[in-house]
Amino acid sequence: MDIEDLRTFVDVADAGGVSPAARRLGVAKSIVSRRLARLEAELGVQLLARTTRGAALTEAGATFREHAARACAEMDAAREAILPDGDLRGRLRIAAPLTFGPTHFAPVFAEMARRHPQLHVHAAYSDRFVDMVAEGFDCAVRVGYLPDSNLVARCVGPLFGRLVASPGYVDTHGSPEAPDELAAHEALMQGTEPWQFMDGDAVVTVHPRGRFKADNGTALLAAALSGLGIAWLPDGITQQYLDSGALVHVMPRHPPPPAGIYVIRPPGQHPSLKVRALTELLIACFEQAPPV
C-alpha cells in the first residue's frame, strides 16, 4: 500500500473534496483521483462518496481515515528519526496572521526554507482562526490572547498593545480615563471580543461596543487613523503613528495585560521536527527581540 495514496486519501477526507485536496497538495486533480481509485481498488471498498459539493466519507472511509492518519504520522516520525540532524524534508504548512504575517513572520519562514533546502514551506495568511486539522496545517502562529481549546500552544515571545485613537476623535469625544468609561465610546473591533485592562494588580474585563468592525488589525488601524473610534492594537503596527502624532495613547493608566506570540499545533504526543525547528527559530527571533 503506497504511503502517498494514504496521505492523499487523508487530505481529501479532511479537505472535503478532490479539488481542495489537490490545491493543498499542489498536484493536479487527476493525480488525486488516480491515487484514490488505486487505494479503493486495493482495499476493495468505497472510501468516499462523490457529491456535487465535494466528497463525503463512507462508513468504511471514516473508519479507515483514522488508521490511515496514524499510519502517515508514524511514517513521518520514522523518516524524521533516521534523518541526519537538521535535515528536514517534506512540506510544512503554516497558518499565520495577516496583520503581522507578511512583515514580522514571513522573514522567519524564509529563513526556515533557506536553512532546510529539502523542505517545502507553505504559509497562508489570514486573521481568522483556521481549523488546523480540517485544513491540513502543521501549525499556526497566532498573536494576542488564546481562547481555551484542545490545541497545544507554545509561547515564543511577548506582544504588547494599547488603546489608540486619533487626536480628532479625542478632541470631539474626549478620552476615557477608566475602563468603565469605554461604554460611552465607539470601539473598533474584530467582532465581539472582550477587552482586558490592568487596574493595579487586578485584571478588569469590559465588553465595548462599536459600529465599525474588521477582520484584521490593519483595517482597524485605518479606521482609528480616520477618527472613527478607539482601537486596541499591538504596538508593532501603531508605534510609528504614535511617534508622528497621527494617533494618541488612550487610557494609559490602565494598560492591557501583556499578550503573546504563540505556535499552535494539533494535539499529539510529540511535535514534528519541522514544527519544533520553526518554534525554536521563532523563539530565537522574538523571545529576546524588542516587543512586537
Side-chain angles (χ1 to χ4, degrees), residues 31-256:
I31 294 176
V32 174
S33 296
R34 188 159 57 246
R35 289 175 181 173
L36 289 175
R38 187 166 56 213
L39 182 62
E40 289 181 325
E42 185 171 356
L43 292 170
V45 296
Q46 183 179 3
L47 299 173
L48 293 156
R50 282 68 167 178
T51 69
T52 56
R53 300 181 63 181
L57 289 171
T58 63
E59 184 177 353
T63 299
F64 187 70
R65 186 252 173 235
E66 301 306 315
H67 294 281
R70 284 197 295 271
C72 291
E74 288 295 330
M75 183 59 70
D76 288 341
R79 285 175 173 172
E80 288 182 347
I82 62 174
L83 286 175
D85 289 344
D87 187 8
L88 300 182
R89 303 186 181 201
R91 181 186 58 180
L92 176 63
R93 295 194 75 237
I94 313 162
L98 178 62
T99 300
F100 279 110
T103 55
H104 290 71
F105 303 134
V108 182
F109 303 156
E111 176 63 15
M112 182 79 175
R114 189 194 68 79
R115 293 188 184 187
H116 305 284
Q118 301 301 314
L119 183 65
H120 294 254
V121 179
H122 298 178
Y125 298 96
S126 172
D127 280 338
R128 69 182 179 87
F129 275 20
V130 300
D131 184 331
M132 293 177 58
V133 175
E135 297 180 50
F137 288 103
D138 297 290
C139 64
V141 180
R142 293 179 179 167
V143 298
Y145 307 104
L146 293 183
D148 292 334
S149 74
N150 66 340
L151 300 175
V152 181
R154 172 74 185 275
C155 184
V156 299
L159 180 135
F160 297 95
R162 65 185 76 190
L163 290 185
V164 296
S166 70
Y169 178 88
V170 172
D171 289 343
T172 302
H173 302 281
S175 179
E177 298 295 329
D180 59 359
E181 296 178 19
L182 283 170
H185 289 268
E186 285 285 339
L188 308 174
M189 307 166 62
Q190 291 198 20
T192 59
E193 68 274 12
W195 286 355
Q196 293 184 328
F197 304 96
M198 300 305 299
D199 186 4
D201 293 331
V203 176
V204 177
T205 300
V206 300
H207 296 272
R209 295 183 180 181
R211 62 188 181 88
F212 184 91
K213 299 184 187 297
D215 65 358
N216 70 84
T218 304
L220 296 177
L221 172 64
L225 288 167
S226 69
L228 281 180
I230 298 173
W232 183 103
L233 292 170
D235 292 347
I237 64 173
T238 60
Q239 192 60 56
Q240 62 175 311
Y241 301 102
L242 291 164
D243 292 342
S244 70
L247 293 174
V248 295
H249 188 183
V250 174
M251 215 167 72
R253 290 186 296 175
H254 297 276

